PDB file of all heavy atoms in Angstrom:
ATOM      1  N   ASN A 181     -11.255  -5.940  24.342  1.00 98.00           N
ATOM      2  CA  ASN A 181     -10.399  -6.625  23.367  1.00 98.00           C
ATOM      3  C   ASN A 181      -9.090  -6.988  24.039  1.00 98.00           C
ATOM      4  O   ASN A 181      -8.504  -6.145  24.734  1.00 98.00           O
ATOM      5  CB  ASN A 181     -10.041  -5.680  22.204  1.00 98.00           C
ATOM      6  CG  ASN A 181     -11.239  -5.343  21.338  1.00 98.00           C
ATOM      7  OD1 ASN A 181     -11.834  -6.218  20.737  1.00 98.00           O
ATOM      8  ND2 ASN A 181     -11.604  -4.060  21.280  1.00 98.00           N
ATOM      9  N   TYR A 183      -5.379  -8.197  22.891  1.00 98.00           N
ATOM     10  CA  TYR A 183      -4.393  -8.479  21.837  1.00 98.00           C
ATOM     11  C   TYR A 183      -3.274  -9.239  22.534  1.00 98.00           C
ATOM     12  O   TYR A 183      -2.546  -8.668  23.357  1.00 98.00           O
ATOM     13  CB  TYR A 183      -3.877  -7.171  21.238  1.00 98.00           C
ATOM     14  CG  TYR A 183      -4.982  -6.302  20.655  1.00 98.00           C
ATOM     15  CD1 TYR A 183      -5.743  -5.466  21.471  1.00 98.00           C
ATOM     16  CD2 TYR A 183      -5.268  -6.318  19.299  1.00 98.00           C
ATOM     17  CE1 TYR A 183      -6.757  -4.672  20.945  1.00 98.00           C
ATOM     18  CE2 TYR A 183      -6.285  -5.519  18.755  1.00 98.00           C
ATOM     19  CZ  TYR A 183      -7.019  -4.716  19.591  1.00 98.00           C
ATOM     20  OH  TYR A 183      -8.028  -3.924  19.076  1.00 98.00           O
ATOM     21  N   HIS A 193     -12.296  -0.575  10.066  1.00 96.00           N
ATOM     22  CA  HIS A 193     -13.748  -0.585  10.228  1.00 96.00           C
ATOM     23  C   HIS A 193     -14.179   0.739  10.858  1.00 96.00           C
ATOM     24  O   HIS A 193     -13.342   1.510  11.343  1.00 96.00           O
ATOM     25  CB  HIS A 193     -14.188  -1.745  11.140  1.00 96.00           C
ATOM     26  CG  HIS A 193     -13.740  -1.564  12.558  1.00 96.00           C
ATOM     27  ND1 HIS A 193     -12.430  -1.761  12.961  1.00 96.00           N
ATOM     28  CD2 HIS A 193     -14.413  -1.161  13.673  1.00 96.00           C
ATOM     29  CE1 HIS A 193     -12.321  -1.494  14.254  1.00 96.00           C
ATOM     30  NE2 HIS A 193     -13.510  -1.126  14.713  1.00 96.00           N
ATOM     31  N   ASP A 195     -17.205   2.045  13.752  1.00 96.00           N
ATOM     32  CA  ASP A 195     -18.213   1.549  14.694  1.00 96.00           C
ATOM     33  C   ASP A 195     -19.516   2.258  14.346  1.00 96.00           C
ATOM     34  O   ASP A 195     -19.897   3.238  14.984  1.00 96.00           O
ATOM     35  CB  ASP A 195     -17.774   1.831  16.135  1.00 96.00           C
ATOM     36  CG  ASP A 195     -16.499   1.081  16.479  1.00 96.00           C
ATOM     37  OD1 ASP A 195     -16.314  -0.047  15.985  1.00 96.00           O
ATOM     38  OD2 ASP A 195     -15.672   1.630  17.229  1.00 96.00           O
ATOM     39  N   HIS A 259     -11.005   3.077  11.447  1.00 98.00           N
ATOM     40  CA  HIS A 259      -9.840   2.881  12.311  1.00 98.00           C
ATOM     41  C   HIS A 259      -9.426   1.421  12.338  1.00 98.00           C
ATOM     42  O   HIS A 259     -10.203   0.523  11.969  1.00 98.00           O
ATOM     43  CB  HIS A 259     -10.104   3.423  13.724  1.00 98.00           C
ATOM     44  CG  HIS A 259     -11.327   2.878  14.401  1.00 98.00           C
ATOM     45  ND1 HIS A 259     -12.572   3.468  14.317  1.00 98.00           N
ATOM     46  CD2 HIS A 259     -11.498   1.784  15.176  1.00 98.00           C
ATOM     47  CE1 HIS A 259     -13.443   2.775  15.018  1.00 98.00           C
ATOM     48  NE2 HIS A 259     -12.814   1.724  15.551  1.00 98.00           N
ATOM     49  N   VAL A 261      -6.210  -1.393  14.404  1.00 98.00           N
ATOM     50  CA  VAL A 261      -4.939  -1.631  15.102  1.00 98.00           C
ATOM     51  C   VAL A 261      -4.278  -2.735  14.284  1.00 98.00           C
ATOM     52  O   VAL A 261      -4.745  -3.889  14.291  1.00 98.00           O
ATOM     53  CB  VAL A 261      -5.160  -2.067  16.572  1.00 98.00           C
ATOM     54  CG1 VAL A 261      -3.841  -2.446  17.228  1.00 98.00           C
ATOM     55  CG2 VAL A 261      -5.850  -0.956  17.358  1.00 98.00           C
ATOM     56  N   ARG A 271      -2.001  -6.593  25.290  1.00 98.00           N
ATOM     57  CA  ARG A 271      -2.656  -5.285  25.472  1.00 98.00           C
ATOM     58  C   ARG A 271      -4.152  -5.512  25.620  1.00 98.00           C
ATOM     59  O   ARG A 271      -4.740  -6.311  24.876  1.00 98.00           O
ATOM     60  CB  ARG A 271      -2.391  -4.403  24.257  1.00 98.00           C
ATOM     61  CG  ARG A 271      -3.301  -3.187  24.182  1.00 98.00           C
ATOM     62  CD  ARG A 271      -2.979  -2.333  22.979  1.00 98.00           C
ATOM     63  NE  ARG A 271      -3.793  -1.139  22.931  1.00 98.00           N
ATOM     64  CZ  ARG A 271      -4.875  -0.984  22.168  1.00 98.00           C
ATOM     65  NH1 ARG A 271      -5.283  -1.961  21.371  1.00 98.00           N
ATOM     66  NH2 ARG A 271      -5.555   0.127  22.207  1.00 98.00           N
ATOM     67  N   ASN A 273      -7.838  -3.502  25.542  1.00 98.00           N
ATOM     68  CA  ASN A 273      -8.503  -2.259  25.161  1.00 98.00           C
ATOM     69  C   ASN A 273      -9.966  -2.374  25.566  1.00 98.00           C
ATOM     70  O   ASN A 273     -10.642  -3.341  25.223  1.00 98.00           O
ATOM     71  CB  ASN A 273      -8.361  -2.033  23.655  1.00 98.00           C
ATOM     72  CG  ASN A 273      -9.142  -0.820  23.206  1.00 98.00           C
ATOM     73  OD1 ASN A 273     -10.193  -0.937  22.607  1.00 98.00           O
ATOM     74  ND2 ASN A 273      -8.640   0.353  23.538  1.00 98.00           N
ATOM     75  N   ARG A 277     -19.332   2.000  25.122  1.00 98.00           N
ATOM     76  CA  ARG A 277     -20.278   2.445  24.086  1.00 98.00           C
ATOM     77  C   ARG A 277     -21.674   2.529  24.680  1.00 98.00           C
ATOM     78  O   ARG A 277     -21.916   1.985  25.762  1.00 98.00           O
ATOM     79  CB  ARG A 277     -20.385   1.378  22.971  1.00 98.00           C
ATOM     80  CG  ARG A 277     -19.101   1.080  22.287  1.00 98.00           C
ATOM     81  CD  ARG A 277     -18.951  -0.400  21.940  1.00 98.00           C
ATOM     82  NE  ARG A 277     -17.594  -0.620  21.445  1.00 98.00           N
ATOM     83  CZ  ARG A 277     -17.292  -0.775  20.175  1.00 98.00           C
ATOM     84  NH1 ARG A 277     -18.246  -0.833  19.272  1.00 98.00           N
ATOM     85  NH2 ARG A 277     -16.048  -0.927  19.797  1.00 98.00           N
TER      86      ARG A 277
HETATM   87  O1  AKG B 323      -7.942  -1.743  20.314  1.00 86.46           O
HETATM   88  C1  AKG B 323      -8.256  -0.608  19.972  1.00 86.46           C
HETATM   89  O2  AKG B 323      -7.640   0.391  20.334  1.00 86.46           O
HETATM   90  C2  AKG B 323      -9.404  -0.424  19.004  1.00 86.46           C
HETATM   91  C3  AKG B 323     -10.551  -1.353  19.194  1.00 86.46           C
HETATM   92  C4  AKG B 323     -11.618  -1.126  18.182  1.00 86.46           C
HETATM   93  O3  AKG B 323     -11.409  -0.545  17.146  1.00 86.46           O
HETATM   94  C5  AKG B 323     -12.972  -1.614  18.412  1.00 86.46           C
HETATM   95  O4  AKG B 323     -13.213  -2.308  19.400  1.00 86.46           O
HETATM   96  O5  AKG B 323     -13.857  -1.295  17.584  1.00 86.46           O
END
Side-chain angles (χ1 to χ4, degrees):
N181 292 298
Y183 302 82
H193 68 285
D195 296 325
H259 55 269
V261 174
R271 165 179 183 260
N273 175 255
R277 300 142 188 257

